């Protein structure tokens, strides 16, 4: 299991907890770029995509790096609609400074990058000033032939 975080402090905490084959302080895109194609069985991204608006590159990397049948599991903050300059993008930078994503956007990316929905659950991803922030957990399965 390979763990990746931008924060050296978080990597140190993970190192002390153990359980990882490798830990690296890196950007998620760089960490995936250096993995061989079709070499991963699971990509897990918990509370990461709130810092990434456009998820197209993430989905493309998942498509390239996951072995057939591999799982792509992640969480997002959910928004119902996202528009920028009059056109729908599927994501929006919110007042909190975090990105939210629409379920339709996630579904469109999954289809385009050869993944099928294996699991989805509505969750409260955090509380902010006693207000529940809605989110979703997704598990997508890399499909054959894409």
């Amino acid at each position: 299991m390979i763990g990746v975080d931008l924060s050296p402090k978080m990597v140190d905490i993970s190192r002390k907890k153990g359980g990882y084959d490798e830990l690296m302080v890196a950007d998620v895109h760089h960490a995936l770029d250096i993995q061989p194609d079709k070499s991963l069985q699971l990509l897990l991204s918990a509370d990461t995509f709130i810092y990434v608006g456009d998820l197209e590159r993430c989905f493309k990397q998942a498509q390239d790096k996951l072995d057939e049948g591999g799982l792509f599991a992640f969480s997002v903050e959910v928004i119902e609609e996202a528009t920028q300059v009059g056109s729908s993008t599927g994501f929006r930078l919110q007042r909190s400074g975090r990105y939210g994503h629409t379920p339709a956007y996630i579904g469109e990316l999954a289809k385009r990058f050869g993944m099928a929905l294996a699991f989805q659950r509505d969750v409260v991803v955090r509380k902010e000033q006693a207000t529940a922030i809605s989110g979703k957990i997704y598990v997508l399965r890399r499909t054959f032939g894409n």
Side-chain angles (χ1 to χ4, degrees), residues 93-127:
L93 184 61
Q94 303 173 95
R95 285 186 179 185
S96 64
R98 298 184 303 266
Y99 282 96
H101 299 85
T102 67
Y105 177 66
I106 299 299
E108 188 269 325
L109 287 173
K111 183 177 179 180
R112 188 161 24 127
F113 291 101
M115 296 180 206
L117 182 64
F119 176 85
Q120 170 185 307
R121 176 172 287 161
D122 294 333
V123 295
V124 172
V125 290
R126 76 186 85 259
K127 289 201 175 191

